[in-house]
Structures are given as C-alpha cells and as structure tokens.
Amino acid sequence: MQISPRCRALIGSAACAVGGARMRRAAWWCCAACGGAGTLTSTASCHGWPSTSAASAGEVRTLRYVPESSQDKIISDEDVFETLLKVFTALLVNDFSRQVPALALLPGVQRRYARLRAAGLGPAGSPPGRHSQREPLSPEEVLFRTLGFSLARERSSLLSAGTGVFVSRGSAPQGAVVAMYPGTVYRKHEPIFFQSLGNPFIFRCIDGILIDGNDKGLSRSVYRSCSWRDQLGPFQMSDVSWLTAAPQNPLAVGQYVNNCSYEKAANVCYQEFDVPRHFPVELKQYLPNIVYSHEIESHLRCVVLVALRDIKQGEELFSNYYTIVN
C-alpha cells in the first residue's frame, strides 16, 4: 500500500527512516485507517510508538474518536499539575532528612515542609514531631498512601510481551494520573538518529516532540549527561533514578505499559503536559524528563498516563497507541 504524504508526516519522516519494519507497518496501518486523509494522529491521549512489548505485525489497534483536537484531553492540565504536586510533595516530606541540606538555601520552603512533616504527612505511624526517628517509607508505599494505589513492573499477561505495569495495591479511579513516560525530550531537528537505532521506546507527541524512554545504552548516557548539566547548585532538575530498578518517583514506569489487544482493552491513555515555569524547584528532582538542549527556551514536555476507567488491584495497564482526530 502506498503511504500518503499526510500520513507519512503524521507518523514522522525520521521514524519511517530509522524505525524499520515496525514503523513501516504503523505507517501502512495509518493509511489503511484514514484512507490517506491524514486524520490519524499520535496525539496526547492515545498514541506513541509501539513499545518493546507491543504486539507483532498484523495486530489491529483500536481507535478513539475525538470531535476536536482541543478536547483531546481526559483531564485538565490543572488536575495533572495538582496530582504531581501532591505526589512529589509526599515523596519529599517522606525523605525530608536527606533534603535538609538543599532546603537550607530556601528557609521559607524548608519551614513549610517541616510543618507538613510535623502535621503527619511524613512516614505514617509516627507521633507528630518524632518522624526523624522512623525510617522513610518506600516510594511505592508513599504513592499508595497518597493516591490509593501502587504500581509494579512484572511479566506482562500478554504472550511474548515482556515487561508490563500492574496495579499492585489498591485501585486507580477513572481520571487518575497513574504513570508518567520518562526520558530525554527532543525537539524537532535535534539529533536523535543514533539513539533511535533499534530503540522501541521513542514516543512521538503530536507536535513532533520526541521522548526517548530507553533506560539502556546510548539513551541512558545521554539522559544522565543532560541531567548533570542542568543541576542547579544542590537542586536536581530531573530524576535519574528511573534508569534503575528502584525509581524514586514510582509513577515513572510509563514506558513499560503495553498496547491493548482484542482480549485486553485499553484502560489508560497518554496525555501531554507542559510543566509550568512556576513548578517548585525543590520538586523538579522527581520529574523523569529532561530537555536535550537549551537552544530554544520552552516548557518541559511530560507525558502522563490517565485511567480511562476504574482499575483494580492486580490489573495490568494497557494503552492505545493511536487516536483519530475528527
């Protein structure tokens, strides 16, 4: 089948050039779905490139119809911001003793977190004012006590799908932010060719911004280098722990969410979120994204995964990589 110019633009010329057979199949499927009209797009809500665990050739992806591109968000940016603020604040308060040296440069901020810890936001079970005598909770436990669920990376329930992401405790209500897609953020025309070779973790946003969520090889080295570059005194501007088996931000596992199938319907979708400039500097250490370069000043692009329905304990998260904008 001939790939139409509009569909090729939507898939991304770079992807078609280096993505191999999988991206050619994706481009073919795009044209088959939209008839070459160019209405299929990998937008913020149900899109991205197939992950390592995506199904093989011949898989039929389901679609979600969106009346207008402005409506292509499940929840508002304000809701995303408030959720991240809530989780990151709980993580910092839980690890308050390690944060004290950096927070000493911001006395007012330090006093605010100290009050939150004394009020009981720190490790649960501690009497007010005695949290320093208790060991910090695990990030997964903090997430559970903050949002009512926790996540775990385990073997997927899909055959030959590799790693998947499961709700290990509690339940995630419809509309909840359940994960984030970590990685280095590349704007258009920034060099990503070598990082993209054989890399199934590259996510493409609707405006052409790419997020490399690979935690190995060259992608790993690039992310670490950019993170060290952007450190502001004692303050980290991004989270590097998602590159390890024990991320300090328990939401930073979105790159391992598998695509849905006939048997396993999508229960989460992707949504783009630009981090506002007033995001607290002391909480940026939990953002699992970093820009490749600062040549163009812009907001940091993040991608969150939002629950399409209530997701119960033991369920695996499944996304939908594509959507149609009408």
Side-chain angles (χ1 to χ4, degrees), residues 132-146:
S132 60
Q133 300 178 16
R134 297 185 63 87
E135 290 295 320
L137 302 171
S138 68
E140 293 75 21
E141 183 67 21
V142 172
L143 179 63
F144 174 72
R145 300 190 184 201
T146 305

Side-chain angles (χ1 to χ4, degrees), residues 82-325:
E82 290 301 326
T83 298
L84 298 184
L85 204 63
K86 185 177 182 180
V87 174
F88 293 179
T89 297
L91 290 170
L92 188 149
V93 172
N94 179 66
D95 194 28
F96 185 75
S97 58
R98 191 178 66 86
Q99 305 289 335
V100 167
L103 292 178
L105 298 177
L106 304 170
V109 174
Q110 181 180 18
R111 287 193 294 271
R112 181 167 66 86
Y113 286 110
R115 288 195 297 269
L116 290 174
R117 186 173 176 84
L121 188 57
S126 305
R130 296 182 59 189
H131 296 301
S132 60
Q133 300 178 16
R134 297 185 63 87
E135 290 295 320
L137 302 171
S138 68
E140 293 75 21
E141 183 67 21
V142 172
L143 179 63
F144 174 72
R145 300 190 184 201
T146 305
L147 297 185
F149 65 88
S150 59
L151 303 173
R153 286 179 287 183
E154 300 175 3
R155 186 174 186 82
S156 175
S157 58
L158 295 176
L159 294 177
S160 305
T163 302
V165 179
F166 293 78
V167 174
S168 56
R169 291 180 63 192
S171 62
Q174 180 178 352
V177 174
V178 295
M180 302 181 70
Y181 198 99
T184 306
V185 179
Y186 292 84
R187 302 178 188 88
K188 293 179 180 179
H189 313 302
E190 289 184 333
I192 193 176
F193 178 81
F194 290 106
Q195 298 92 308
S196 69
L197 293 176
N199 182 357
F201 289 101
I202 296 179
F203 183 100
R204 184 179 189 273
C205 298
I206 189 173
D207 57 0
I209 286 179
L210 304 176
I211 301 180
D212 182 2
N214 194 353
D215 57 10
K216 298 178 177 61
L218 180 59
S219 299
R220 176 189 181 94
S221 299
V222 169
Y223 187 92
R224 284 188 175 277
S225 176
C226 293
S227 181
W228 292 331
R229 173 203 66 196
D230 289 356
Q231 184 168 341
L232 184 63
F235 294 104
Q236 295 283 346
M237 295 293 102
S238 63
D239 175 24
V240 297
S241 66
W242 70 271
L243 298 169
T244 71
Q248 66 173 352
N249 175 3
L251 294 174
V253 293
Q255 77 276 34
Y256 288 106
V257 173
N258 289 309
N259 192 40
C260 60
S261 66
Y262 281 125
E263 297 77 20
K264 308 285 187 178
N267 52 19
V268 299
C269 64
Y270 299 94
Q271 179 167 315
E272 297 171 11
F273 172 70
D274 289 337
V275 179
R277 301 191 190 281
H278 63 273
F279 198 87
V281 65
E282 71 278 5
L283 297 181
K284 290 185 177 181
Q285 62 182 301
Y286 301 110
L287 290 171
N289 299 98
I290 194 77
V291 293
Y292 177 77
S293 72
H294 288 296
E295 293 180 1
I296 302 175
E297 186 174 352
S298 64
H299 295 279
L300 174 67
R301 171 65 53 81
C302 292
V303 171
V304 298
L305 286 81
V306 181
L308 292 171
R309 60 168 176 81
D310 294 347
I311 306 175
K312 299 178 182 179
Q313 180 173 322
E315 287 193 75
E316 183 174 358
L317 303 185
F318 291 105
S319 64
N320 189 342
Y321 291 137
Y322 294 94
T323 190
I324 286 183
V325 177

